[in-house]
Amino acid sequence: MVRLIDEFRRPELLIPLLERIRQFDDRNYAFMEVCGTHTVSISRFGIRNAVPKNIRLLSGPGCPVCVTSQEDIDRAIELATLPNVILATFGDMMKVPGTRSSLAKEKAKGADIRVCYSTREALEIAEQNPSKEVIFYGVGFETTAPTVAFSVLEAKKRNIKNYSVFSVHKLVPPALRALLNSGEVKLDGFILPGHVSVVIGLKAYQFLADEYQMPGVVSGFEPLDILQTIEMLLKQVKSGQARIENQYRRTVTFEGNVHAQKAMEEVFKVVDADWRGIGTIPESGLTINEKYEEFDASKRFETKVDYSIEPPNCSCGDVLRGVKLPFDCKLFGKGCTPEHPVGPCMVSSEGACAAYYRYDRFINAEA
Amino acid sequence: MKEEIILLAHGSGGTLMHKLIEKQIVPVIGKEKLLQLDDAAEIEIQKTRLAFTTDSYTVKPIFFKGGDIGRLAVSGTVNDLAMKGAIPIALSLSLIIEEGFKLDDLERILKSIAETAEAAGVEIVTGDTKVVEKGSADMIFINTSGVGIIPQERKLSGSHARPGDAVIISGTIGDHGIAVINERENLGLQIPIESDVQPLNDLVNHLFTAIPAEAVHVLRDPTRGGLATTLNEIASQSNVVIRIEEEKIPIKDEVKGACEILGYDPLYVANEGKMVAIVDPDYAEAALKALKEHEKGKDAALIGFVEKVETKPAVFVKTILGTSRFLTMLTGEQFPRIC
């Protein structure tokens, strides 16, 4: 049996690699990870502080909970409080503060909100409660979207009529393009997401190299993966090349998961979407298409949301663009903590602020 | 402020729960004994040191791999007594049952309670049964209280960790939390993970036969909130810094794998049959050897040391890359990642 975790955490492999990165050269590098799981791994294993100071690791818009716009959050809370509705959601959305309330608070007040671990569970809830309307709160990137697409296909096949999806799914490549177009942050390369790339494949990032001369490496999540990715990026930059490379070859292919891509194409259509901190990005979101509109919660249920405002003084938007580090936000650790979060980046387990709060405070590198 | 309501996270064992206890409960009903915030209170009656504790148990599902709510209700209370160094004497058992609950299931739970109590050498001496309307409780809730006698030489408290002390964990962490969540959420992870729920009083006694009582400073079972939260409680009660090494913490491969899939940190996952022992460094080796001799402590490991506090109490973990990072209490609940 290949031990897929311990093999990638062996100090005798990690330390020499880390030494090579430390000795690489003195110029300044800025690499951005655009996946919340990378953010957490980098913080949890202390990678951010193990690499030398001239290599800066920035967190980008990689946490799906965090990039969800305030209006979409408010809309989901409104949906949850409609009569006769069960809102099925991933747990991470529960505590995200909306403008007036949160799902956790509405649940405590009596709204029927169920934390699900998969869309299969949401479908089961719909089947078990035929007199209720079950709305699945579809948040996530290309990793989650196919499972939601499959749930719609399954609901149609099994004739489950009381199931629908409130889709605020987002696509990663358009967000990378928007970041580069803005020119706000100077980057030397992207640490590209692993899970998302299992679905969309390496080919989805080719534009980074071709159009923007921006190096990118799809990376796994273990410390050994991430350090190797950093070394690959350093080598690309030094050689003056820009390529899209695959460090996560044990799972990611060039084409990606075609089966999953087809399900997404069947059920969703690509639309412009609002991202927290970035604004509207063309063709960056997924909504249920006309063919399946009976499963589109935003068509089936009316909600009036005209009050959304992002929390004042919250820097989540700047954090998501890599303009600010969580530490630079004046609320960080004071007015905004995981127990009393102001912005979503402090709520989600994958959020940059939560990861920095949990793992990066009071760091002292001893190696 | 007063508009605030109780959220599920207030019961998760993390910072919200600690604030609820410290800000809402203790100021209203707290006397000196409650303020110690140990697993069990100590009461002296005519020179006999009694340990007294109570705990309510709710778990979904009520039957899970490696145990059930009955085994949990006995083990949990026995362990709270044992962590004070007490020899458990008697337990009370109070059942709150939802209308419609199957008698067969009740019988299964009661048998499990009887077996666990017998194995722990403790008697159930009093009890109460209530039935509530359907919907007023979720199947069955159990409360147990327990009393035990603390031998004169044993002086354990979360506030007794001293700089230099060794930090030992009695076995692999995260087993209970992962076993329960795998079944509750029907995750279908094909992993042979069983809950570690078990009474630890025999393991505690074995430890005390191996090293002098005064060498054992703290015992604590890392239940809700996991090892990270327990170490933080000890650091803050004892006003010390605790430094542990990530590599030395025993975790089963299956638990590690499940945690990676869910995006959990095993340091925050619940245990129901493990303990943290903080002991005099001169007896660290002997303590470790004693624990390892016992079936319930065979995977025990020395994971770190206690240090003097510099600015404020804290827990640090040395990562496999050799860097150190702050290890905080559990904040909120752990939820699986979305991608």
Side-chain angles (χ1 to χ4, degrees):
Chain A
M1 191 177 84
V2 185
R3 301 182 67 206
L4 283 174
I5 298 174
D6 286 349
E7 289 297 313
F8 294 88
R9 293 184 185 174
R10 279 165 50 193
E12 63 270 33
L13 298 176
L14 291 168
I15 301 300
L17 179 52
L18 187 57
E19 269 319 301
R20 286 207 299 279
I21 290 172
R22 285 179 176 160
Q23 307 299 329
F24 195 78
D25 66 14
D26 306 335
R27 63 156 281 193
N28 288 326
Y29 296 91
F31 300 132
M32 178 181 272
E33 86 271 356
V34 281
C35 164
T37 312
H38 280 147
T39 306
V40 172
S41 262
I42 288 170
S43 288
R44 176 173 156 205
F45 293 105
I47 295 173
R48 211 182 303 283
N49 302 287
V51 297
K53 294 226 176 332
N54 60 315
I55 302 175
R56 285 199 310 145
L57 301 178
L58 301 171
S59 306
C63 152
V65 173
C66 309
V67 299
T68 304
S69 73
Q70 194 73 12
E71 192 179 325
D72 285 338
I73 288 167
D74 288 333
R75 206 172 287 286
I77 296 169
E78 293 285 342
L79 285 170
T81 51
L82 289 177
N84 208 37
V85 158
I86 299 174
L87 186 89
T89 176
F90 292 128
D92 234 5
M93 294 307 292
M94 290 297 286
K95 276 178 69 185
V96 179
T99 307
R100 294 175 177 170
S101 184
S102 71
L103 291 177
K105 284 184 186 156
E106 293 304 324
K107 181 177 157 75
K109 283 194 226 158
D112 197 344
I113 301 169
R114 314 272 181 99
V115 172
C116 287
Y117 288 69
S118 67
T119 49
R120 188 188 59 188
E121 231 181 303
L123 272 182
E124 275 169 22
I125 296 171
E127 279 190 308
Q128 287 158 5
N129 297 276
S131 62
K132 300 259 183 171
E133 286 291 338
V134 175
I135 303 175
F136 185 78
Y137 189 2
V139 177
F141 293 123
E142 292 92 331
T143 328
T144 314
T147 68
V148 176
F150 285 123
S151 79
V152 168
L153 293 172
E154 189 68 18
K156 188 161 179 115
K157 196 169 111 196
R158 282 155 59 185
N159 204 21
I160 303 175
K161 298 235 179 260
N162 61 331
Y163 177 76
S164 60
V165 173
F166 175 53
S167 171
V168 295
H169 288 103
K170 303 229 171 359
L171 303 171
V172 169
L176 303 183
R177 190 182 281 279
L179 280 179
L180 292 174
N181 285 346
S182 83
E184 208 174 12
V185 182
K186 200 195 150 315
L187 293 176
D188 298 290
F190 280 112
I191 298 172
L192 294 168
H195 299 134
V196 164
S197 305
V198 170
V199 175
I200 65 177
L202 221 57
K203 64 176 183 193
Y205 307 105
Q206 203 49 49
F207 73 96
L208 292 174
D210 295 348
E211 298 174 37
Y212 296 90
Q213 288 72 54
M214 180 60 61
V217 177
V218 171
S219 178
F221 299 98
E222 292 298 324
L224 190 61
D225 292 319
I226 294 171
L227 288 179
Q228 199 174 35
T229 297
I230 292 170
E231 192 183 35
M232 287 163 84
L233 284 169
L234 288 169
K235 284 181 177 164
Q236 275 201 48
V237 178
K238 192 163 191 175
S239 69
Q241 292 174 324
R243 290 191 310 274
I244 303 304
E245 292 183 284
N246 189 2
Q247 184 279 332
Y248 203 27
R249 276 174 301 190
R250 59 190 189 275
T251 16
V252 174
T253 61
F254 182 77
E255 288 295 330
N257 183 334
V258 179
H259 186 52
Q261 292 166 14
K262 281 202 176 128
M264 278 160 68
E265 280 163 28
E266 172 67 20
V267 173
F268 292 117
K269 69 176 176 193
V270 176
V271 292
D272 299 352
D274 289 336
W275 294 56
R276 182 183 297 267
I278 304 177
T280 307
I281 304 179
E283 300 188 349
S284 67
L286 294 176
T287 190
I288 307 267
N289 64 28
E290 284 75 16
K291 188 174 168 191
Y292 293 90
E293 69 181 359
E294 57 189 295
F295 298 101
D296 186 349
S298 55
K299 294 232 172 85
R300 264 165 68 168
F301 303 95
E302 216 165 295
T303 48
K304 193 163 178 276
V305 176
D306 55 7
Y307 51 81
S308 301
I309 29 164
E310 287 185 16
N313 297 324
C314 166
S315 304
C316 277
D318 293 338
V319 169
L320 288 165
R321 296 198 307 282
V323 176
K324 275 189 184 174
L325 288 178
F327 297 134
D328 301 331
C329 176
K330 54 184 167 188
L331 298 180
F332 181 84
K334 298 181 194 96
C336 182
T337 59
E339 338 36 301
H340 294 290
V342 175
C345 300
M346 189 56 99
V347 181
S348 171
S349 52
E350 307 268 282
C353 296
Y356 276 67
Y357 186 88
R358 184 182 270 186
Y359 296 122
D360 287 315
R361 287 182 304 158
F362 312 103
I363 288 288
N364 52 345
E366 287 176 346
Chain B
M1 179 71 196
K2 289 297 168 195
E3 281 168 42
E4 280 186 39
I5 49 182
I6 295 289
L7 304 176
L8 269 177
H10 279 110
S12 65
T15 42
L16 267 192
M17 193 181 83
H18 281 88
K19 279 192 188 148
L20 182 73
I21 294 172
E22 280 160 27
K23 300 236 160 91
Q24 304 284 326
I25 299 177
V26 168
V28 182
I29 56 167
K31 295 264 162 65
E32 196 191 335
K33 294 251 183 289
L34 189 64
L35 286 176
Q36 291 172 357
L37 300 175
D38 272 329
D39 286 329
E42 186 180 327
I43 307 165
E44 199 168 307
I45 301 174
Q46 294 172 346
K47 301 224 165 132
T48 300
R49 293 167 68 209
L50 278 185
F52 181 42
T53 189
T54 187
D55 211 330
S56 296
Y57 299 85
T58 66
V59 62
K60 241 189 196 171
I62 51 176
F63 301 103
F64 46 85
K65 246 187 214 158
D68 55 68
I69 190 169
R71 184 171 169 81
L72 186 64
V74 174
S75 304
T77 296
V78 164
N79 290 346
D80 281 348
L81 295 172
M83 295 307 116
K84 257 317 228 187
I87 316 285
I89 303 295
L91 296 191
S92 72
L93 171 71
S94 176
L95 306 170
I96 298 175
I97 309 170
E98 187 188 15
E99 177 187 26
F101 192 66
K102 284 189 197 139
L103 263 183
D104 275 357
D105 285 345
L106 182 63
E107 197 182 325
R108 236 176 111 188
I109 291 169
L110 291 172
K111 274 190 181 150
S112 168
I113 288 174
E115 277 167 26
T116 315
E118 189 175 335
V122 61
E123 215 175 313
I124 292 165
V125 293
T126 181
D128 179 52
T129 309
K130 292 277 187 303
V131 177
V132 297
E133 269 179 66
K134 195 153 190 68
S136 294
D138 193 356
M139 301 180 85
I140 184 165
F141 298 155
I142 301 182
N143 172 280
T144 53
S145 298
V147 286
I149 292 176
I150 310 171
Q152 283 310 331
E153 66 281 8
R154 297 186 187 178
K155 298 210 164 56
L156 297 174
S157 168
S159 59
H160 289 177
R162 293 180 219 151
D165 281 358
V167 181
I168 296 171
I169 178 83
S170 69
T172 55
I173 61 163
D175 301 9
H176 175 76
I178 293 299
V180 167
I181 203 163
N182 188 28
E183 270 179 73
R184 175 170 67 216
E185 305 305 340
N186 204 359
L187 298 183
L189 298 174
Q190 301 295 323
I191 46 170
I193 288 292
E194 291 194 353
S195 163
D196 57 2
V197 55
Q198 58 185 355
L200 293 170
N201 52 330
D202 48 351
L203 184 67
V204 170
N205 282 337
H206 187 71
L207 177 65
F208 277 107
T209 58
I211 63 172
E214 61 273 16
V216 186
H217 298 161
V218 183
L219 294 179
R220 206 26 99 74
D221 53 342
T223 54
R224 276 175 310 173
L227 180 63
T229 302
T230 295
L231 291 177
N232 269 286
E233 286 166 358
I234 297 170
S236 124
Q237 271 181 283
S238 296
N239 196 30
V240 292
V241 163
I242 297 177
R243 212 173 271 276
I244 60 168
E245 288 189 43
E246 191 163 32
E247 248 185 290
K248 298 196 168 151
I249 303 168
I251 310 175
K252 288 191 177 123
D253 281 350
E254 297 88 335
V255 170
K256 258 189 219 172
C259 283
E260 290 304 317
I261 290 169
L262 295 167
Y264 285 4
D265 186 337
L267 288 165
Y268 294 92
V269 179
N271 310 278
E272 289 294 344
K274 299 290 152 47
M275 65 177 186
V276 173
I278 297 192
V279 301
D280 186 313
D282 292 343
Y283 293 94
E285 248 174 71
L288 191 62
K289 184 166 164 281
L291 292 174
K292 278 170 171 289
E293 281 164 8
H294 196 282
E295 174 57 27
K296 292 179 183 174
K298 62 179 190 319
D299 298 318
L302 199 163
I303 57 171
F305 290 94
V306 178
E307 292 177 7
K308 215 172 74 203
V309 73
E310 270 160 30
T311 47
K312 59 178 189 173
V315 182
F316 291 94
V317 58
K318 190 172 172 197
T319 69
I320 44 181
L321 294 176
T323 52
S324 268
R325 67 170 164 80
F326 198 60
L327 188 65
T328 58
M329 270 198 186
L330 177 67
T331 47
E333 293 165 87
Q334 286 215 100
F335 283 126
R337 72 159 76 87
I338 309 176
C339 234

